[in-house]
Amino acid sequence: MSVIAEPSPAAPAGLDANETNPWAAQAARFQTAARKLNLDEGVAKVLAHPARELTVHIPVTMDDGRIEVFTGYRVQHSEARGPGKGGIRYDSNVSLDEVRALASWMTWKCAVVNIPFGGAKGGIICDPHILSKNELERLTRRYTAELVPFIGPERDVPAPDVNTNEQIMAWIMDTYSMHHRKTVNAVVTGKPLTLGGSQGRRQATGRGCKIVCDRAIERLKMNKNQTRVIVQGFGNVGSNAAELLAEDGYTVVGVDEYDGGIHNPNGLDIKALLQHREKNRTIQGFPGSKPLKPRELLTAACDILVPAATENQITSQNAHKIQAKIVCEGANGPTTAKADDILQEKGVFVIPDILANAGGVTVSYFEWVQDRQGYFWKEAEVNARLQDIMDESFHAVMEYADKHQVNNRIAAYMLAIDRVASAIQLRGIYA
Ligand code: NAD
């Protein structure tokens, strides 16, 4: 399969397709890590290809009676360690290469945190902001109906991602359940609590980011109370990470959104910012903050930068200007492979996406376990188990980095590939 394809439509202008194509970005890191591991050539070939790719064209009757057709995907990269696991994204920039990359990142992420899942991801090309709630429901249900033979608690378990939420998971769960004539709540995670969701799931990815920031500043001997943080993307991941970091004594000095950033060198009151955004539907105009152009904050003075929006934000265009000592990748694929090299030369401590944002899938795993046992845990228990897994995974990645003298991203890929390859070798190739 070619890894040189279309540029990412979401990427900043002026970058070449090889730098911004997420599937090519994934492949570059995979190949480097596989070489360092002396990975068996045959196993490398298996892992360089997604196991299964489904494209569906989804007819939807719009509110005005017109029929529209949307294109959606579900890619299952690997099931070597367990059922596929990964979110569903609704966005106009969704492409097959993006979904492929996100599916493979899920394989590596589940392996880094050592939970018994493979990797999968889905997406629909649409702008959910211009669809009515009824249109969104019809789109979701018809997409799910197309996926019914491919998903399930023991096959592939979707979850929320960009522009999808608990309500959309509830529709997926209901549609799947109607087809099976019984309630199957373990078919998706990130559901509302009343339908078998888990305590702590909504905050889990941000909480995981906060845990690995704690471990990173310990390693770098930095003082929490003197640590300035900038967050890009104030959605599920970014807002929860910002809130938890601020609560624990970090100073969040900037938040960047698609329509611009806001900055206050003395720290932003994140709880008040959440209320401001709720009321005004934007972070702009937050009292006491200075407005900045989109992406300007990425290169502003801070100690920790948390890109938590989308792919290709730290690139060969701006990596050399990054001032942060730590980059904690809340988003998937926010840094291009070219930018990785620049950050490494500058000595920036990157906590790679497949570790930094793995808190979400970890609590999704807890949700799936709770659904299957029909017994639900208290939030404190969920958070304590998450803390254990994130701490252990951080240390496991650091061990690979120290032992093989590679950067943190390649170390995380090596750890993950080692675990997935061992599962493939033990299972053998079915003929
Ligand atoms: P979300 O839709 O809740 O939030 C994304 C936020 O980023 C939105 O507020 C959006 O306005 C903002 N944004 C979009 N493009 C931007 C840009 N160019 N500049 C600045 N801001 C921009 O999505 P989310 O669930 O928080 O996911 C964010 C990232 O984290 C994605 O890469 C996703 O794949 C990854 N992720 C999410 C989870 C999860 O549990 N939700 C888990 C792991 C990884």
Side-chain angles (χ1 to χ4, degrees), residues 10 89 102 106 109 121 160-164 201-202 204-205 232-239 256-260 277 294-295 307-311 313 330-333 357-361:
R89 174 176 292 200
L102 289 161
M106 289 308 298
K109 197 179 299 183
K121 202 84 180 192
D161 192 67
V162 174
N163 294 328
T164 57
R201 174 62 185 88
R202 210 176 293 164
T205 311
Q232 186 199 34
F234 203 56
N236 175 288
V237 181
S239 68
D256 185 47
E257 259 292 330
Y258 68 94
D259 55 351
R277 209 263 310 265
R295 294 200 179 98
T310 185
E311 292 106 67
Q313 297 304 301
N332 288 307
N357 68 40
V361 75

Side-chain angles (χ1 to χ4, degrees), residues 185-201:
N185 54 11
V187 65
V188 279
T189 58
K191 297 179 295 293
L193 278 178
T194 29
L195 295 178
S198 176
Q199 296 286 352
R201 174 62 185 88

